[in-house]
Amino acid sequence: MRRESARRLAARDEANHVVARRSKTALAFFGYIFERTLKRDFHALRVLRAGNLPQVAATRLVVYANHPSWWDGVLYVVLARRLFENFRAFAPIDAKMLEQYAILARLGAFGVARDSSQGAVDFIETSRTVLRDPGSMMFVAAQGRFADVRERPLQLSPGLAHLADLAPDVIFLPLAVETTFWIEKQPELLISFGQPISASSIAALSKQQRLALLEERLDQTMNELRAGSIGRDHSQFETLIEGRSQINAVYDAWRRLLAFARGRDFRPGHDPGSA
């Protein structure tokens, strides 16, 4: 019993350090850097349906997402800067990864040891601390591992269901993420927000029932995004960040010169209708 209490006290002490380490200055700087990175490596960051940007009236928010690639962490920082600037954002990541990239702690990341009882305790206690104050939020890669967007069932991490016990006003917001190639050389980074779920509405459910409902809502959001991705219709998306359209630097320079000689506007993309 004493050992269990000591573990919880240690976890709470570390959770307070997580909050103290987060730096608004570091988040602003790396948010700017990460946006430039997305612009360089993607054609665009698009949100499914123009009216589907999150308009959630919440004091505490948990955005939980599928986990298709390394880019997810970059995406969370950009979204925190672009769409959730009124929230203090945090995100659990693999403890070994945080050891390798310690600077992420300045951006609100906190380490969780996977597949261990202590890791589960740390996750709950740190989440309790970071969601303690109004205006706090978490980005959670809910599958806990990299997984293809076509993989089913999603198998969300059980710890997600426990977050509903931390505060009755927590809102769960599903986020679907997919990277795909359309007509340009650079890939599209596509996202979609699903319908929110309040912690109070699932408080009476068992942990298994909560997890099943959260998984169902994320699965539905991912399926909607998949349909939009297959459709390749720009009008179904709102462009959050416009990246580069480029075929080849040398060839583009020649095309630009020809366009100038003919008195035409130069269109760098492969799509004839692109600007």
Side-chain angles (χ1 to χ4, degrees):
M1 193 69 170
R2 289 181 178 178
R3 180 178 297 179
E4 182 69 19
S5 298
R7 289 170 62 184
R8 290 188 177 277
L9 286 174
R12 290 173 186 173
D13 185 56
E14 174 58 25
N16 289 324
H17 286 305
V18 167
V19 175
R21 283 194 296 260
R22 182 182 181 275
S23 167
K24 292 178 63 176
T25 301
L27 186 63
F29 174 74
F30 280 96
Y32 171 75
I33 296 299
F34 288 171
E35 280 202 20
R36 289 181 60 87
T37 302
L38 287 183
K39 289 180 179 180
R40 181 194 66 197
D41 292 336
F42 287 90
H43 182 238
L45 167 58
R46 306 182 192 276
V47 186
L48 184 63
R49 289 192 297 272
N52 206 33
L53 290 177
Q55 302 293 333
V56 179
T59 56
R60 296 170 179 84
L61 187 62
V62 173
V63 176
Y64 69 103
N66 61 308
H67 195 18
S69 75
W70 172 90
W71 284 102
D72 298 340
V74 174
L75 175 65
Y76 299 159
V77 174
V78 171
L79 292 181
R81 184 170 183 259
R82 281 291 188 117
L83 301 181
F84 302 99
E85 64 275 8
N86 294 326
F87 286 86
R88 294 179 298 278
F90 297 86
I93 66 172
D94 185 13
K96 293 181 179 179
M97 183 173 291
L98 187 59
E99 290 179 4
Q100 186 175 356
Y101 303 105
I103 187 61
L104 297 179
R106 305 293 289 171
L107 308 184
F110 60 92
V112 176
R114 295 180 57 186
D115 303 321
S116 74
S117 58
Q118 183 59 47
V121 171
D122 291 342
F123 173 71
I124 296 300
E125 291 304 324
T126 305
S127 299
R128 188 193 311 277
T129 299
V130 301
L131 292 174
R132 176 180 56 199
D133 298 323
S136 298
M137 69 174 296
M138 290 173 56
F139 285 97
V140 180
Q143 291 172 291
R145 58 183 176 81
F146 293 122
D148 191 278
V149 295
R150 294 163 292 190
E151 182 179 315
R152 297 294 188 278
L154 297 179
Q155 296 182 326
L156 305 188
S157 299
L160 182 66
H162 290 266
L163 299 182
D165 296 325
L166 304 185
D169 60 349
V170 167
I171 296 295
F172 292 89
L173 185 64
L175 169 63
V177 182
E178 183 172 334
T179 301
T180 188
F181 285 90
W182 283 353
I183 196 170
E184 299 295 345
K185 177 182 177 181
Q186 291 81 11
E188 312 287 336
L189 180 52
L190 308 177
I191 65 173
S192 178
F193 292 96
Q195 293 299 314
I197 302 173
S198 65
S200 58
S201 70
I202 61 176
L205 301 179
S206 68
K207 299 298 190 298
Q208 293 79 6
Q209 290 172 323
R210 293 178 191 176
L211 197 63
L213 178 60
L214 292 167
E215 183 170 320
E216 178 184 357
R217 191 65 57 86
L218 179 57
D219 189 14
Q220 177 184 356
T221 308
M222 291 174 64
N223 290 339
E224 292 171 353
L225 181 60
R226 180 180 62 187
S229 175
I230 292 172
R232 299 189 175 201
D233 184 355
H234 294 185
S235 68
Q236 296 300 309
F237 292 82
E238 177 165 326
T239 300
L240 193 59
I241 293 178
E242 189 75 45
R244 293 193 307 177
S245 295
Q246 177 179 302
I247 297 176
N248 176 274
V250 176
Y251 182 50
D252 284 348
W254 172 249
R255 293 167 62 220
R256 187 184 298 274
L257 181 61
L258 286 179
F260 176 78
R262 295 169 180 171
R264 299 175 181 174
D265 292 333
F266 172 63
R267 300 179 183 273
H270 182 68
D271 184 353
S274 65

